[in-house]
Amino acid sequence: MTEKRALCSGCDIYCQVLAETPESGKVGDVRVKAMDPRPLKANICIKGVHAPAGFSHPERVLYPLKRTGPRGSGQWQRVSWEQAMDDIGARLAAIVAKHGAEALTVSTSQWNTQTDNGAARRFMNLLGSPNWISGVALCSGNTAAINRMVYGWYPYPDYAQANCIVLFGHNPKQHSWTPIYNAIRRAQERGAKLIVMDPRKSESAERADLWLPLKPGTDAAMCFGWLKVILDEELYDKAFVEKWTTGFAEFRRRVNEFPLERVAAITGVAPELIAQAARMYATTGPAVIPWTPITDQQRNSTSAIRLMCSLRALCGYVDVPGGELLHGFHPDIIHESELELHDALPEAQRAKQLGADKHPAFTYRGTAALGEPAKRVWGYEWPNIVSGSYMANPSAVFRAMADGDPYPVKAFITLGNNTLMSFANMQLIQRAMMNQDLIVAVEHFRTPTAQLADYILPGDAWLERNCLSDAFGWTAIYRPSQKVVEPPGECRGVYDFWRELAIRMGQGEQFPWPTNEDVLDHRLQRMGMNFETFAEKHPYHLHKPRYRKYEQTGFATPSGKVELSSSILGELGFDPLPYWRDDPPHDPAWPLTMFMGVREDEYFQTGHRHITALRVRSPEPKMFIAAATAARAGLAEGEWAEVVTPQGRVKLRTAIRAEMPEQTVRVPHGWWLPERPEGDGTLSGAWEYADAQICPDDDDYLDMEQGIPHLKGIPCNVRAIETPAHWIK
């Protein structure tokens, strides 16, 4: 057997692994292992090890399928790729002719498809549709967009040299975010401090020097408390603040509105502990505050992310060794942003982007003022970091799909993205999908979303494709992933799909690269080698890091400085300073608080539940709850319950956990039952077990600047139910 380097896309971390090529040539016979066998270097988890079993599953879609019955009926007919693409192209052309290009929307999860080499946005920009959405709207991409407003890029932590690491609810584990888990463990071994803020005493909290058990959704208030201590005690970098920030005086006045007593009342954490943590962060640096999905998903998300940016900047931890680096672009590799052709989208079409009027933060409107600064500092006007810039607002897109307001959206393409279950308000999303004239799903399986499609097209998997990764434009570190086996059946990559559709829509000349490998070769031309050579020669490629680059270029913001008071948000009509927005008034009908989105080790988002070796470890969806809270609801360990919110209800098995705080319920993300046949009205159990149906997206539970849902502190109740029929042995 031969070994090749591959990037596992079993989750969004992309561990680089070794894959043994089998003589059979079948993906199910591939053996995946870590590149380094040492415990704190072995960046691999159970999802990567068992991925070949998932890709060889007998229910994988291997050929194009056309729906022949009602949506969700499970009635399909096998067709050829040419038949499918001809019909898709003709139907899309008719929709565009009738309603305009903006009537097309696309939802994708690029951590699953790995890369399309910018093809999706390229196609949409040339067609004239600004309505691209992704799960990164509420997970990392939105963080990147808000970071750009503060200092023009999204910084990446230097774990190897950091003296202090701060986790806001983030809980990297051996089988979840494995490289981050290993990096933190190595840092702690050499003496770095770890501060964890989490309502529950997570695995990371158990290992922390300080654990702050804050209430769900209060991250912004906690940041204000830290800043109050750091500014009052003059623990900040005064020289940096004076030379490289704007709005410091106004920012300080806003921070003064948050004495520790107020912060303690909001967060539930003692003032003394808040102050101790703030001092540790400010005095033991350089320190890092890594990305956290928790802060991405709160009604005060924009303010919390900006406050984290401010903590980094005020303490002098931006673009320094051991702090957080502003990578910019790799100078010798053509980046996906450049291939996306955002400047090809006419201004009149950008203005139609759904949600940009009310929630502009990561839209074309919200990022318009960053174009010139980006070109000045980074050499290109349209950096799409973590695919988190130039997005439409998901809730606004689904409302347009469902109700035609402000205009009809009648064509929907979803790629590697179980859209129905991946955003808030699942009820709205299904209604939106049922109102479409054309739905295309590029997928591995007949997911609940794919079950509502007109066509399911079989996608390839990460062992079956070549790709380049730079962490979705976040870093200037490029890693190759080599194809290990050929895709089974008629599975194809997403670049092939977009090029075939482009040809049918008259864009063929704009897609001059016949294959995915041709695009990769094009992207590497400045290095004087093709992809095959690059992949054999370079496990990764980056130039020697340069620090404090802003001293030569300034920051990529309108002012050229770190904007503590945001000129962009001010001009958009928002508070230019971070703020705190109280929860809606308490309703005694909903006495508990729910947070969702915490991952089980075995799964990523809505995936992997079809893999037997993983499913036996975590066979059913569980809610975590404290013993006393469960007792008041009449629940014992293992009993079935409903978690109910004003939005909906979901069925879960009770799991009593000592680390859970009172009156708080943890709900898992992404549950459906791949083993359940189609056509029974539940979309393979999604309407019984998926958390998306209990999360609202009304104004009270949206972040105002971004329009993303609040998933970390939703009022709820729980009650006992009979064991669902599916689980009765």
Side-chain angles (χ1 to χ4, degrees), residues 427-439:
Q427 294 87 345
L428 169 65
I429 301 172
Q430 174 153 335
R431 191 162 61 85
M433 293 183 68
M434 297 299 284
N435 193 38
Q436 294 301 286
D437 293 342
L438 174 65
I439 300 177

Side-chain angles (χ1 to χ4, degrees), residues 184-439:
I184 293 172
R185 296 288 81 77
R186 291 195 296 269
Q188 286 188 289
E189 284 188 346
R190 59 175 174 76
K193 302 295 185 182
L194 177 63
I195 304 171
V196 172
M197 281 159 281
D198 200 310
R200 63 192 182 112
K201 197 165 189 180
S202 66
E203 292 87 345
S204 293
E206 291 278 2
R207 296 174 176 267
D209 295 276
L210 291 177
W211 170 47
L212 284 68
L214 79 176
K215 295 177 183 176
T218 61
D219 298 31
M222 180 61 70
C223 289
F224 271 123
W226 283 30
L227 285 158
K228 178 66 173 164
V229 173
I230 290 167
L231 294 177
D232 283 356
E233 298 182 8
E234 299 188 351
L235 302 177
Y236 61 96
D237 187 331
K238 295 179 182 178
F240 180 88
V241 167
E242 182 176 354
K243 186 173 182 180
W244 290 109
T245 69
T246 62
F248 178 70
E250 307 97 279
F251 183 84
R252 181 157 192 169
R253 286 194 293 270
R254 178 59 56 85
V255 171
N256 285 339
E257 297 174 13
F258 292 85
L260 291 192
E261 292 74 18
R262 180 186 179 190
V263 174
I266 295 171
T267 64
V269 178
E272 298 78 14
L273 185 55
I274 296 171
Q276 184 183 2
R279 293 181 190 119
M280 181 177 288
Y281 173 76
T283 61
T284 61
V288 297
I289 306 175
W291 164 74
T292 168
I294 309 304
T295 310
D296 286 349
Q297 302 162 358
Q298 299 180 16
R299 61 200 308 275
N300 288 295
S301 175
T302 297
S303 287
I305 294 168
R306 292 181 61 205
L307 289 164
M308 291 177 183
C309 294
S310 301
L311 281 165
R312 298 181 187 112
L314 292 176
C315 291
Y317 298 156
V318 176
D319 217 30
V320 298
E324 304 195 43
L325 276 60
L326 305 172
H327 273 251
F329 296 114
H330 191 298
D332 300 324
I333 299 175
I334 296 173
H335 46 89
E336 287 196 37
S337 298
E338 189 173 342
L339 294 172
E340 290 175 345
L341 297 184
H342 290 281
D343 52 357
L345 183 65
E347 184 59 40
Q349 292 303 107
R350 287 182 208 151
K352 296 177 183 178
Q353 192 167 50
L354 290 165
D357 54 341
K358 190 174 181 180
H359 305 295
F362 47 64
T363 68
Y364 281 110
R365 177 173 173 245
T367 54
L370 291 167
E372 185 282 326
K375 189 171 185 178
R376 169 174 51 83
V377 174
W378 308 117
Y380 186 68
E381 187 176 357
W382 303 95
N384 191 3
I385 308 171
V386 197
S387 304
S389 296
Y390 327 121
M391 294 186 288
N393 174 264
S395 290
V397 166
F398 297 132
R399 284 182 165 78
M401 290 169 63
D403 302 320
D405 182 20
Y407 54 76
V409 173
K410 304 300 288 183
F412 178 57
I413 299 174
T414 174
L415 304 98
N417 176 246
N418 195 354
T419 311
L420 182 71
M421 300 170 56
S422 296
F423 300 88
N425 196 345
M426 189 165 134
Q427 294 87 345
L428 169 65
I429 301 172
Q430 174 153 335
R431 191 162 61 85
M433 293 183 68
M434 297 299 284
N435 193 38
Q436 294 301 286
D437 293 342
L438 174 65
I439 300 177

Side-chain angles (χ1 to χ4, degrees), residues 10 50 62 68 73 101 117 221 374 423 512:
H50 293 291
L62 300 180
T68 59
S73 66
N117 292 300
F423 300 88

Side-chain angles (χ1 to χ4, degrees), residues 565-580:
S565 177
S566 174
S567 62
I568 295 173
L569 289 174
E571 290 174 3
L572 291 170
F574 295 95
D575 192 332
L577 296 168
Y579 56 86
W580 172 255

